[in-house]
Amino acid sequence: MAFEMKLLSSLEKVFLADNLSDKPAYRAGSMLRNEVFNFQVAYRPEEGWLDKAVLRLSSPIASFVTLRRVEVVPSQMPAYPGLSDSGYITTQPGLFPDLLLPYAQGQRLTLVPGQSRSLWLSVEGDIPPGTYPITLSFVDRSGATLAEDTFTLTVIDALLPPQKLLCT
């Protein structure tokens, strides 16, 4: 099965029709000890029909990583006609990646050929300072690895001060 995988920043949006090779790879990052760090793993099967796969995560800090599926939601009017600026990704109606749903490691993902999707990873907790690999592998139902990549996360031995900005 032709299968593409790419590690992306949490600031990237992965639309169903996106070509992953057009997106900048994001393979390393850093966080303070009491910070929450997010990134994505995008995937796109090019053949097969509604095949199933699982994402496997291997890391010394795996217990601090939460996985979520990024699901698309309809947007009938992403911008008011004639009132948008150049800051919009698109002003056309469509399906937008927005909803984060729980994903348990080992849960089957439906792979739709020609559709780009992503999983959202959040790293949070009292992690000792250091540099940690987070290896992500997509595996098909026969156990064969479709794609694999490693993100490197550095945890800095410092804390964010208590926040004064309240958001309710």
Side-chain angles (χ1 to χ4, degrees):
M1 170 187 286
F3 189 90
E4 186 178 4
M5 165 189 181
K6 196 166 208 180
L7 300 174
L8 301 173
S9 162
S10 60
L11 299 177
E12 286 290 328
K13 300 288 184 225
V14 180
F15 288 88
L16 298 177
D18 282 352
N19 184 346
L20 297 183
S21 61
D22 294 339
K23 298 195 171 290
Y26 186 64
R27 304 196 65 222
S30 63
M31 65 181 280
L32 301 180
R33 284 189 10 236
N34 62 340
E35 198 173 5
V36 178
F37 185 86
N38 298 294
F39 68 102
Q40 298 177 82
V41 56
Y43 57 96
R44 182 182 179 92
E46 292 301 336
E47 56 189 45
W49 179 246
L50 296 180
D51 204 359
K52 304 280 186 179
V54 297
L55 177 74
R56 291 191 181 147
L57 184 148
S58 174
S59 176
I61 59 168
S63 62
F64 297 100
V65 180
T66 301
L67 294 162
R68 293 180 188 88
R69 285 185 344 229
V70 180
E71 289 297 324
V72 294
V73 296
S75 176
Q76 295 177 10
M77 190 176 75
Y80 287 102
L83 298 177
S84 61
D85 59 30
S86 63
Y88 284 81
I89 295 171
T90 181
T91 58
Q92 298 302 308
L95 296 172
F96 288 71
D98 186 60
L99 183 63
L100 298 179
L101 295 176
Y103 175 78
Q105 192 173 176
Q107 181 181 348
R108 295 256 174 228
L109 294 165
T110 300
L111 304 178
V112 180
Q115 283 191 9
S116 296
R117 301 282 182 136
S118 69
L119 291 163
W120 186 273
L121 292 90
S122 296
V123 183
E124 179 179 16
D126 189 15
I127 305 169
T131 299
Y132 301 97
I134 301 171
T135 301
L136 302 163
S137 307
F138 282 96
V139 179
D140 70 11
R141 44 175 111 204
S142 73
T145 299
L146 299 170
E148 182 175 279
D149 206 349
T150 299
F151 188 87
T152 303
L153 181 64
T154 300
V155 179
I156 299 166
D157 192 12
L159 299 173
L160 286 171
Q163 295 298 307
K164 295 177 182 162
L165 175 64
L166 299 178
C167 181
T168 60

